[in-house]
């Protein structure tokens, strides 16, 4: 038999239960179409480049030919929109190759037009002195010590493009080693990060001395400079 006290307690529990927000069912992951073959494994490189995992990359972030949004830019120009997480390589007046990218802290810290001074295959990562002041554990990879060896674990990945302005290194890099999961997002480190497959493709297309324009953007809150 329920006493008056028990009845009151059950009534309070029922009221709390009625006010509680129902637990929404866990959303199913998006069903993406099969990836293009060029996101498969790449052989013949000094280090292995595995395939991008199926179902991990939205089609709008795939490498693809699109109508050129900047028809007055010369062939070879690169335009980066850090806010939209997109990079365009101008093929001609009508078309451009568009790549999805992720943007690190340094990718939000500079904008303007620079010169594509040079590119490197499997580059060494040479940590600037001002970064070592913030991260002393990176001292073994300083410029003076010759940097970090290329290969797995090197945050520049398979390729890097280096931007200069008025003959001076901007320290802005377009480089590989992004994961499919981070594409289209702001990440905590790096400049403009691409999938290694896309970084290799852009490297093979790049034009020495071409203009690289980085559009202004708002730096995401919580990002910290790492490299």
């Amino acid at each position: 038999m329920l006493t008056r006290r028990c009845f009151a307690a059950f009534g309070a529990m029922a009221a709390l239960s009625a006010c509680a927000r129902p637990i929404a069912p866990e959303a199913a992951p998006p069903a993406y179409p099969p990836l293009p073959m060029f996101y498969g494994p790449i052989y013949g490189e000094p280090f292995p480049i595995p395939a991008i995992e199926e179902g991990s990359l939205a089609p709008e972030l795939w490498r693809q030919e699109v109508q050129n949004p900047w028809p007055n830019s010369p062939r070879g120009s690169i335009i980066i929109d850090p806010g939209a997480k997109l990079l365009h390589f101008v093929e001609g007046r009508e078309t451009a190759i568009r790549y999805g990218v992720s943007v690190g802290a340094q990718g939000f810290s500079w904008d303007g037009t620079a010169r594509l001074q040079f590119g490197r295959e499997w580059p060494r990562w040479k940590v600037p002195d001002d970064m070592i002041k913030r991260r002393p554990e990176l001292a073994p990879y300083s410029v003076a010590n010759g940097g970090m060896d290329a290969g797995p674990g090197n945050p520049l990945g398979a390729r890097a493009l280096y931007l200069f302005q008025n003959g001076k290194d901007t320290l802005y890099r377009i480089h590989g080693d992004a994961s499919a999961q981070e594409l289209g997002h702001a990440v905590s480190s790096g400049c403009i990060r691409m999938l290694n497959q896309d970084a290799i493709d852009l490297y093979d297309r790049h034009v020495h001395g071409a203009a690289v324009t980085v559009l202004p953007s708002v730096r995401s809150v919580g990002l910290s400079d790492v490299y």
Side-chain angles (χ1 to χ4, degrees):
M1 178 181 293
L2 290 175
T3 65
R4 182 177 295 177
R5 180 177 296 175
C6 290
F7 184 81
F10 277 116
M13 290 175 62
L16 288 173
S17 178
C19 292
R21 181 177 297 173
I23 299 174
E26 188 173 337
Y32 296 143
L35 288 167
M37 291 184 64
F38 53 70
Y39 284 132
I42 297 180
Y43 303 103
E45 289 283 329
F47 305 96
I49 298 179
I52 305 302
E53 184 181 356
E54 287 290 349
S56 65
L57 190 60
E60 60 267 23
L61 298 173
W62 294 355
R63 180 199 323 163
Q64 55 195 284
E65 187 175 81
V66 298
Q67 183 175 352
N68 182 12
W70 295 277
N72 294 324
S73 296
R75 182 190 176 280
S77 299
I78 294 174
I79 297 94
I80 301 166
D81 185 342
K85 318 296 188 298
L86 294 173
L87 180 152
H88 287 78
F89 173 87
V90 174
E91 286 192 306
R93 186 173 181 83
E94 301 297 328
T95 61
I97 303 296
R98 190 182 75 192
Y99 306 84
V101 300
S102 65
V103 183
Q106 290 249 352
F108 286 105
S109 66
W110 184 89
D111 60 71
T113 299
R115 169 188 166 91
L116 201 171
Q117 190 76 3
F118 57 86
R120 291 287 183 267
E121 300 184 24
W122 295 101
R124 300 183 68 83
W125 178 37
K126 298 181 180 180
V127 184
D129 291 340
D130 61 342
M131 190 177 300
I132 291 172
K133 291 178 182 177
R134 300 191 302 270
R135 299 279 306 279
E137 70 274 17
L138 298 178
Y141 311 120
S142 68
V143 175
N145 288 329
M148 179 186 286
D149 290 342
N154 184 310
L156 296 183
R159 301 288 189 275
L161 301 178
Y162 297 75
L163 278 59
F164 280 59
Q165 193 175 52
N166 300 320
K168 183 178 179 181
D169 189 355
T170 65
L171 301 180
Y172 202 99
R173 308 285 186 256
I174 304 168
H175 61 87
D177 210 39
S179 69
Q181 290 75 19
E182 73 186 45
L183 240 62
H185 299 284
V187 294
S188 63
S189 59
C191 289
I192 299 299
R193 295 163 65 100
M194 308 178 74
L195 300 173
N196 277 324
Q197 283 86 344
D198 286 345
I200 291 172
D201 183 81
L202 179 61
Y203 179 90
D204 290 343
R205 298 177 190 271
H206 86 273
V207 176
H208 175 72
V212 180
T213 300
V214 180
L215 303 179
S217 64
V218 177
R219 176 175 174 150
S220 295
V221 175
L223 294 185
S224 60
D225 294 309
V226 178
Y227 59 87

